[in-house]
């Protein structure tokens, strides 16, 4: 197991992420589900289309279908029949003829063009065409959305609501996906009270596991909540061992620093293989990553902001890899900061900001104010990180900074 503490100084954020991801082997167990169970699941195989979509040439408009060569040098065509969605015209459109057609209806044999009804005058069986058309106008071609045999979605894709619609349009009802992960949550701290309990002197409400459970829901994993465990090495050891029996990954918060009541390190040295990392990031310097006998382990700092940011930027990408899910890199934008940003050189900052447009349509970012690692509202009101490189010092108002939009986990 990698241990950054053997290296002098703090481990750069990018190196910590890369080292951690390299140590994770994705799960391979698959299960069969129906399409309606597919939202948020991860495909275990490529999906090729069994059909053309659309399956036949059809009209993009309500109007009249005809052959362009038929209309040359004449304004009128004779109405010879109708093609409705689901009830195609059975004959062939002949010379001098046109066919009434509705949006989505199959193009009749002998037709290559559709004119919308707003550009036609109809008198009895005679249709007068008021506009010029090119062959193919207002026709949707078979396979123009998806070609039969083409890979529609690759293995490792997390299915979105739109993806489910695409698969339904292919007539696909059964899917193979990777099984769901089981993730255990453990909050540690004598001062933590679960909701519904009275607060004693010096107590606070436990909040990390609630926010983390929400983030894990967005990742579509099963959460096993172990509640609050006291700052006691035997209790922590028992909880970690039980969680390890049930989960693919165990996430704890609190107790990873070097205080008198910080037992996570001690326990993990006894039962697991653990790297205690001091990462050059703010918030979130202390962070533990390692392996228990049967599961991955993430030890988040207790401070709520540090817990959320390390979960978002380190644990979630790690679990995404464990899920066997392939994702695109996060999007970074440049924006003008409206205020000075306090920063000392040393660690990479992930300050919280609100990205919006100024009156000229240029991107600007406003800090959410106090950036203390206990101030959870600094994330609640934000929509992005202001990412400041480690060596950066104070940033004056008006400077251009890198901004990283929040991803799906905080939603
Ligand atoms: P620790 O990392 O255990 O030293 O905790 C650092 C700070 O975070 C302390 O102020 C704790 O009270 C607070 N804290 C730790 N765990 C939680 C939690 N689960 N919910 C809310 N605050 C917490
Ligand atoms: Mg603690």
């Amino acid at each position: 197991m990698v241990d950054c503490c053997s290296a002098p100084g703090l481990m750069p954020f990018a190196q910590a992420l890369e080292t951690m991801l390299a140590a994770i082997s994705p799960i391979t167990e698959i299960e069969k589900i129906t399409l309606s169970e597919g939202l948020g699941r991860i495909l275990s195989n490529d999906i090729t289309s069994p059909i053309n979509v659309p399956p036949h040439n059809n009209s993009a408009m309500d109007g009249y279908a005809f052959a362009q060569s038929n209309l040359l040098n004449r304004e009128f065509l004779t109405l010879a029949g109708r093609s409705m969605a689901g009830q195609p015209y059975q004959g062939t459109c002949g010379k001098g003829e046109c066919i009434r057609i509705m949006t989505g209806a199959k193009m009749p044999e002998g037709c290559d063009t559709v004119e919308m009804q707003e550009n036609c005058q109809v008198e009895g069986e005679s249709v007068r065409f008021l506009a010029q058309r090119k062959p193919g106008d207002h026709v949707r071609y078979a396979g123009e959305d998806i070609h039969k045999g083409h890979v529609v979605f690759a293995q490792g894709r997390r299915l979105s609501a739109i993806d489910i619609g695409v698969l339904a349009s292919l007539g696909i009802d059964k899917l193979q996906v990777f099984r769901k992960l089981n993730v255990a949550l453990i909050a540690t701290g004598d001062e933590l009270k679960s909701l519904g309990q009275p607060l004693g002197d010096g107590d606070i409400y436990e909040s990390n596991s609630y926010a983390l459970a929400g983030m894990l829901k967005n990742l579509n994993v099963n959460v096993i909540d172990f509640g609050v465990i006291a700052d006691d090495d035997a209790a922590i050891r028992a909880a970690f061992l039980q969680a390890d029996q049930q989960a693919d990954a165990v996430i704890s918060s609190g107790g990873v620093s070097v205080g008198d009541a910080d037992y996570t390190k001690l326990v993990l040295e006894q039962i697991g293989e653990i790297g205690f990392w001091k990462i050059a990031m703010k918030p979130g310097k202390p962070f533990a990553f390692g392996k228990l006998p049967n599961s991955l382990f993430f030890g988040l700092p207790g401070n709520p902001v540090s817990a959320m940011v390390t979960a978002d930027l380190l644990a979630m990408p790690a679990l995404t890899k464990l899920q066997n899910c392939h994702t695109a890199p996060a999007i970074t934008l440049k924006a003008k900061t409206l205020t000075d940003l306090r920063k000392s050189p040393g660690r990479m900052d992930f300050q919280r900001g609100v990205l919006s447009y100024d009156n000229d349509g240029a991107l600007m970012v406003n800090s959410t104010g106090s950036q203390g690692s206990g101030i959870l509202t600094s994330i609640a009101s934000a929509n992005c990180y202001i990412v400041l490189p480690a060596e950066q010092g104070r940033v004056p108002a008006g400077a251009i900074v890198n901004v990283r939009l929040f991803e799906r986990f905080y939603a």
Side-chain angles (χ1 to χ4, degrees):
M1 185 49 43
V2 186
D3 186 345
C4 79
C5 300
S6 55
L10 305 177
M11 185 187 278
F13 170 76
Q15 187 189 340
L17 181 62
E18 195 181 313
T19 311
M20 183 179 62
L21 292 179
I24 295 173
S25 309
I27 58 158
T28 53
E29 296 108 307
I30 61 172
E31 58 189 40
K32 294 187 174 153
I33 59 166
T34 60
L35 182 65
S36 54
E37 299 166 315
L39 185 66
R41 302 301 301 268
I42 294 148
L43 289 176
S44 63
N45 56 329
D46 290 352
I47 294 204
T48 54
S49 178
I51 56 170
N52 278 322
V53 178
H56 44 255
N57 296 352
N58 68 90
S59 175
M61 291 287 171
D62 291 334
Y64 296 87
F66 58 97
Q68 183 69 28
S69 58
N70 237 334
L71 195 61
L72 293 177
N73 304 321
R74 54 188 297 176
E75 282 179 283
F76 288 93
L77 294 174
T78 304
L79 196 54
R82 282 149 50 99
S83 181
M84 312 296 282
Q87 293 171 34
Y89 179 66
Q90 297 298 344
T92 300
C93 182
K95 245 192 158 24
E97 292 180 341
C98 66
I99 305 292
R100 178 81 169 121
I101 195 164
M102 296 295 139
T103 305
K106 189 177 174 189
M107 283 297 282
E109 288 293 327
C111 294
D112 58 16
T113 309
V114 172
E115 181 55 278
M116 60 178 107
Q117 61 194 28
E118 291 84 341
N119 289 336
C120 298
Q121 268 177 1
V122 185
E123 287 156 30
E125 300 294 280
S126 176
V127 182
R128 187 166 167 233
F129 287 77
L130 303 177
Q132 283 292 318
R133 284 284 153 226
K134 297 190 301 303
D137 277 357
H138 303 318
V139 178
R140 305 171 181 153
Y141 288 100
E144 81 175 19
D145 186 357
I146 301 166
H147 266 104
K148 183 175 173 178
H150 276 200
V151 173
V152 189
F153 297 133
Q155 188 220 322
R157 183 181 182 92
R158 186 190 301 283
L159 293 174
S160 69
I162 305 300
D163 295 351
I164 302 286
V166 170
L167 292 172
S169 77
L170 303 180
I172 292 175
D173 189 28
K174 304 257 186 316
L175 300 173
Q176 278 193 13
V177 294
F178 292 112
R179 75 163 168 83
K180 275 194 181 188
L181 296 182
N182 301 309
V183 179
L185 282 179
I186 298 175
T188 68
D190 286 342
E191 76 284 24
L192 303 177
K193 288 285 175 291
S194 297
L195 299 186
Q197 293 181 336
L199 285 185
D201 191 21
D203 290 346
I204 61 167
Y205 284 120
E206 193 282 306
S207 61
N208 287 346
S209 70
Y210 289 88
L212 290 168
M215 292 173 75
L216 290 168
K217 231 185 197 126
N218 290 336
L219 197 64
N220 203 20
V221 305
N222 299 320
V223 175
I224 311 167
D225 189 356
F226 278 75
V228 177
I229 308 295
D231 288 318
D232 170 89
D233 59 345
I236 291 177
R237 181 165 40 254
F240 283 7
L241 283 172
Q242 202 191 338
D244 177 56
Q245 289 297 317
Q246 300 179 22
D248 300 292
V250 179
I251 300 179
S252 77
S253 68
V256 284
S257 313
V258 288
D260 292 344
D262 292 334
Y263 292 110
T264 305
K265 181 172 169 31
L266 180 83
V267 169
L268 288 164
E269 278 165 358
Q270 295 165 352
I271 65 171
E273 199 190 333
I274 282 292
F276 267 85
W277 294 359
K278 290 207 174 86
I279 301 181
M281 68 185 286
K282 190 179 172 192
K285 182 166 69 173
F287 174 81
F289 167 68
K291 286 174 182 164
L292 294 173
N294 308 295
S295 60
L296 294 180
F297 179 84
F298 304 93
L300 310 181
N303 271 310
V305 174
S306 311
M308 295 310 114
V309 174
T310 50
D312 186 40
L313 298 175
L314 293 163
M316 294 295 145
L319 291 174
T320 301
K321 173 151 187 204
L322 187 64
Q323 282 182 316
N324 220 331
C325 174
H326 306 167
T327 51
I331 291 181
T332 300
L333 305 166
K334 302 247 181 237
K336 183 161 79 177
T337 173
L338 292 185
T339 54
D340 288 0
L341 300 171
R342 291 174 58 178
K343 163 107 172 55
S344 357
R347 292 193 264 165
M348 189 173 193
D349 265 22
F350 293 92
Q351 301 196 10
R352 276 74 64 206
V354 180
L355 184 69
S356 58
Y357 292 107
D358 67 15
N359 290 336
D360 299 326
L363 284 174
M364 62 181 189
V365 66
N366 209 351
S367 167
T368 55
S370 178
Q371 297 286 314
S373 60
I375 301 176
L376 197 50
T377 50
S378 73
I379 308 185
S381 53
N383 61 10
C384 66
Y385 296 113
I386 303 169
V387 185
L388 303 176
E391 64 280 8
Q392 172 82 52
R394 181 186 153 277
V395 179
I400 300 295
V401 291
N402 284 328
V403 159
R404 174 172 162 165
L405 284 172
F406 283 169
E407 285 177 79
R408 54 204 304 276
F409 304 121
Y410 285 153

